[in-house]
Amino acid sequence: MRFRRVLSTALLLLGVAAAPAVADSSPSPSPSGDDSAPTRAGTSFRTATEIGQGSRATASGSAGDYLYWSFPADAGQRPTVKATVKLPQASTRGASETWQVDVYDGLRRRQACQYGAQTRTAAQDTATVELSCTLRTVRAWSETWADDPLPGTYYIRLTATGLPASELGLPVGAEVKVDSKDIGGAAAVDGSLGKPLVPGIATSAKKSDSGSGSSKTALSSIEPDDGWTSGWWSDRWVWTAIGGILAALAGIGGYALTRGSGRPSRVPPGI
């Protein structure tokens, strides 16, 4: 009876410990929280258009231009960038076109794609080109010499490569979307950044309606809904607690099986 009570209590504690992991695995809403999608792209890192994960952004440009967007990615996430390019009419193009999407981290280091079609060549009669790039899982901490993806702002750069001069400037349309898969404790590390790698506050000269002047402009204001975690919590803590509870149950069960009924065995008379 005592063993059953101990087992019931341990199972109850196991359910309480696993509850945060189940709640944490549910998808979070889009950080943007806004139905209006951006309709333009930046032309450099500093002017990159900010988009939230799960939202689409569109832009019009010219063949040969660099189109930039930025998005936030936190520890434990594995972002996937998808881009669709609407090419000019086939009659205006003389040959095939090669398009490429690159992703850079907050230190402007180009991040390798774990998988996906990062570069594609479209034939002359092709109307659209679809590109994708799935990054490695964002780590909460890394060595200074490593190029691991870290929490912060990431930049998307979309452009055509090797275009002939006759096709430069032709109108194109672009659409990008960023989604992430939450990897969780499987990618957890012991350590965290002091701050996420996001652009700070820069002073830029602007002309106001009444004249010239300078004002402070935030280069990056977008972040995840629940803020930057920087790896302080992961479901690895939950599974560690579950392992400890199971080990305790195994010890209690082994003790109950080996100690017997607790009563001394009867000794036959005459011995």
Side-chain angles (χ1 to χ4, degrees):
M1 181 65 69
R2 182 183 303 173
F3 176 70
R4 291 181 179 178
R5 288 199 300 267
V6 173
L7 180 62
S8 300
T9 303
L11 291 176
L12 178 61
L13 293 175
L14 184 65
V16 173
V22 176
D24 188 63
S25 63
S26 59
S28 57
S30 171
S32 62
D34 185 53
D35 294 334
S36 59
T39 56
R40 65 179 183 85
T43 56
S44 66
F45 287 102
R46 291 179 59 86
T47 61
T49 299
E50 296 177 347
I51 61 175
Q53 292 190 21
S55 62
R56 295 182 181 271
T58 58
S60 298
S62 302
D65 290 346
Y66 287 98
L67 305 178
Y68 286 85
W69 296 267
S70 64
F71 66 94
D74 208 354
Q77 295 182 340
R78 181 182 293 168
T80 296
V81 176
K82 295 182 179 180
T84 302
V85 182
K86 296 180 181 180
L87 302 175
Q89 295 181 359
S91 59
T92 62
R93 302 188 343 244
S96 60
E97 294 184 3
T98 300
W99 284 82
Q100 180 171 318
V101 60
D102 296 304
V103 183
Y104 298 81
D105 65 5
L107 298 178
R108 299 184 184 180
R109 302 175 302 182
R110 183 176 177 272
Q111 292 294 319
C113 298
Q114 193 174 28
Y115 53 85
Q118 182 182 6
T119 303
R120 274 188 170 173
T121 300
Q124 183 179 359
D125 57 348
T126 303
T128 60
V129 177
E130 294 185 356
L131 308 168
S132 66
C133 175
T134 299
L135 300 179
R136 294 169 295 168
T137 304
V138 178
R139 294 166 56 92
W141 177 84
S142 178
E143 297 287 352
T144 55
W145 47 262
D147 63 347
D148 297 317
L150 296 171
T153 299
Y154 282 75
Y155 298 92
I156 305 170
R157 187 179 73 179
L158 180 64
T159 188
T161 61
L163 286 177
S166 59
E167 297 186 16
L168 294 175
L170 292 178
V172 294
E175 178 181 287
V176 296
K177 183 180 180 181
V178 182
D179 292 305
S180 283
K181 181 179 179 181
D182 191 3
I183 304 302
V189 296
D190 295 328
S192 62
L193 295 180
K195 293 182 179 180
L197 301 176
V198 298
I201 304 298
T203 302
S204 60
K206 281 186 175 182
K207 277 193 175 183
S208 60
D209 294 337
S210 58
S212 61
S214 63
S215 61
K216 289 186 176 181
T217 304
L219 296 184
S220 181
S221 59
I222 195 169
E223 65 178 31
D225 273 348
D226 52 356
W228 298 102
T229 62
S230 296
W232 74 271
W233 165 260
S234 72
D235 54 9
R236 186 173 64 168
W237 292 94
V238 176
W239 295 113
T240 300
I242 292 175
I245 293 174
L246 292 178
L249 286 175
I252 295 172
Y255 175 74
L257 292 175
T258 57
R259 78 185 184 98
S261 61
R263 297 178 181 177
S265 59
R266 300 183 65 181
V267 180
I271 296 179

